[in-house]
Structures are given as structure tokens and as C-alpha cells.
């Protein structure tokens, strides 16, 4: 009976070991898929601590902001400092609410590139709640929307020019009608 119990324990231990190896392999594969996705998606993917410090950022930050992930990790305030001055208070308020109230946010704002030009971004951040209920970090993605903003501005200018042209044509027509009449009376 003791030998049989030992044999069953060894069998179960072997089965358990195989299952642990299978689960470990699945976990490694899943983690590799996640890492590949995060590193290759053409967006900035980041994780921010409650202190405002960036814990993780993928390499696309360099394309969008001009700074490498290493530069951002070395200077914790760089991330916030590069938000355009007029937009900074609004963005900081959204981030604070995200950490304090667990609210996600979507915001468009301007960021100053390392070279000095302005980049328009859309930032979507989602709070990550720890097991004890407090917000441990905020995970977010950023997209460059500069092209869309420039296109909207161009469209607005085009509409304004179109409106000015229409008003000018209507005004010229309204002025021309009385002048034609006055010219006709003058010829008579």
C-alpha cells in the first residue's frame, strides 16, 4: 500500500511537472506576442507611475518626440515639460484625476519635439488598479494627429476663402445693379 501510494504521488508529480512546463511555455509565448505587439505598433505605448515618472515607453517615442526611451527614463520631468505650455495645466489635471479617481482620459494636446517643432498628439490613458484597489499606474497610447490637425486648419481656411469669395461676388452684384441703372438713366 505504501509503495502504491508512493507510485501515485510520483505519477501525479510527473503530470504536474508536465502541466507546469506547458503553462510556462504558454506564458512565455503570450508574453512574447505582447512584447512584439507593443514594440512594433506605430504608436507610443507607455506606463506612468503616480509620481508622473515614466515606467515604460516603447521606441516610437523617438519618432514622435525626438527623445529616446533612455533619455526619458533619465529625466523624469522631461515627459511633462515637453507638453506645450498652454496645454500643460489641462493635461496635468486629467492625469491627476486619472490617478485619484480612476478615470480614463482621451485628450488632444501639443508636444514640443526635441528639434523645436510642435507635434499634435492624441493621448488615451487608462488607469491600472492594483489588487488592493489603489491606482498603481496609468497605461496609455499616443498617436500623432499633426497631419489631421493641419488638414482641418487648411479646410477651415479654404471654407473662409470660399465664404469671402461668395460675399464679394454678392456685394459686387448688389453694387453693379444700381450702377447699371444709374448708367442707363445717365445715357438717356
Amino acid at each position: 500500500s505504501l509503495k502504491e501510494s508512493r507510485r501515485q504521488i510520483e505519477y501525479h508529480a510527473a503530470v504536474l511537472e508536465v502541466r507546469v512546463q506547458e503553462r510556462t511555455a504558454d506564458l512565455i509565448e503570450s508574453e512574447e506576442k505582447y512584447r512584439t505587439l507593443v514594440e512594433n505598433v506605430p504608436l507610443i505605448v507607455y506606463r506612468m507611475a503616480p509620481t508622473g515618472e515614466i515606467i515604460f515607453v516603447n521606441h516610437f517615442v523617438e519618432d514622435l518626440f525626438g527623445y529616446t526611451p533612455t533619455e526619458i527614463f533619465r529625466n523624469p520631468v522631461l515627459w511633462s515639460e515637453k507638453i506645450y505650455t498652454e496645454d500643460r495645466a489641462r493635461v496635468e489635471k486629467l492625469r491627476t484625476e486619472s490617478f485619484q479617481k480612476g478615470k480614463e482620459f482621451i485628450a488632444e494636446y501639443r508636444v514640443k519635439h526635441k528639434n523645436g517643432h510642435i507635434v499634435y498628439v492624441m493621448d488615451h490613458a487608462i488607469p491600472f488598479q492594483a489588487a488592493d484597489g489603489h491606482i498603481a499606474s496609468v497605461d496609455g497610447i499616443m498617436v500623432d494627429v499633426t497631419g489631421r490637425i493641419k488638414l482641418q486648419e487648411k479646410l477651415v481656411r479654404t471654407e473662409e476663402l470660399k465664404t469671402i469669395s461668395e460675399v464679394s461676388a454678392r456685394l459686387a452684384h448688389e453694387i453693379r445693379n444700381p450702377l447699371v441703372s444709374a448708367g442707363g438713366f445717365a445715357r438717356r
Side-chain angles (χ1 to χ4, degrees):
S1 169
L2 197 57
K3 285 182 183 180
E4 179 61 28
S5 295
R6 174 178 244 153
R7 190 184 64 70
Q8 285 181 353
I9 290 173
E10 288 173 355
Y11 170 76
H12 289 299
V15 168
L16 187 59
E17 183 64 32
V18 168
R19 286 187 180 165
V20 166
Q21 288 174 354
E22 289 172 354
R23 300 288 181 176
T24 302
D26 290 345
L27 182 61
I28 290 170
E29 181 184 348
S30 176
E31 185 178 328
E32 192 58 38
K33 285 178 186 176
Y34 172 77
R35 181 175 288 120
T36 301
L37 175 68
V38 167
E39 287 299 326
N40 293 315
V41 68
L43 310 165
I44 294 178
V45 178
Y46 68 91
R47 176 169 277 180
M48 180 181 287
T51 60
E53 181 181 352
I54 298 299
I55 301 168
F56 169 81
V57 66
N58 67 353
H59 67 91
F60 280 99
V61 73
E62 192 169 0
D63 295 343
L64 205 58
F65 294 167
Y67 295 94
T68 64
T70 305
E71 289 175 298
I72 292 172
F73 295 140
R74 286 185 184 152
N75 185 356
V77 295
L78 180 66
W79 189 267
S80 293
E81 284 179 349
K82 291 303 166 182
I83 297 173
Y84 197 69
T85 309
E86 294 171 9
D87 298 340
R88 191 174 300 145
R90 177 175 54 88
V91 173
E92 290 299 326
K93 181 181 177 200
L94 290 170
R95 286 183 180 161
T96 301
E97 285 179 355
S98 187
F99 279 108
Q100 291 176 349
K101 299 176 183 174
K103 291 174 59 177
E104 76 175 89
F105 72 85
I106 299 175
E108 283 189 19
Y109 55 92
R110 297 165 286 185
V111 177
K112 195 169 189 179
H113 190 276
K114 188 175 187 176
N115 295 337
H117 66 275
I118 300 298
V119 179
Y120 291 83
V121 297
M122 180 183 289
D123 187 352
H124 185 181
I126 301 170
F128 175 74
Q129 196 169 16
D132 65 1
H134 81 281
I135 305 299
S137 63
V138 168
D139 296 332
I141 58 170
M142 283 187 183
V143 179
D144 183 353
V145 293
T146 306
R148 181 181 59 90
I149 297 294
K150 298 289 183 191
L151 191 59
Q152 282 177 335
E153 289 172 355
K154 190 174 182 179
L155 183 61
V156 166
R157 280 194 302 273
T158 302
E159 286 297 318
E160 287 172 350
L161 288 175
K162 182 180 172 186
T163 302
I164 289 172
S165 297
E166 289 173 359
V167 168
S168 297
R170 194 173 297 136
L171 186 61
H173 179 73
E174 293 298 322
I175 291 173
R176 198 173 346 158
N177 281 346
L179 288 178
V180 169
S181 298
F185 284 123
R187 274 185 246 138
R188 278 194 190 166

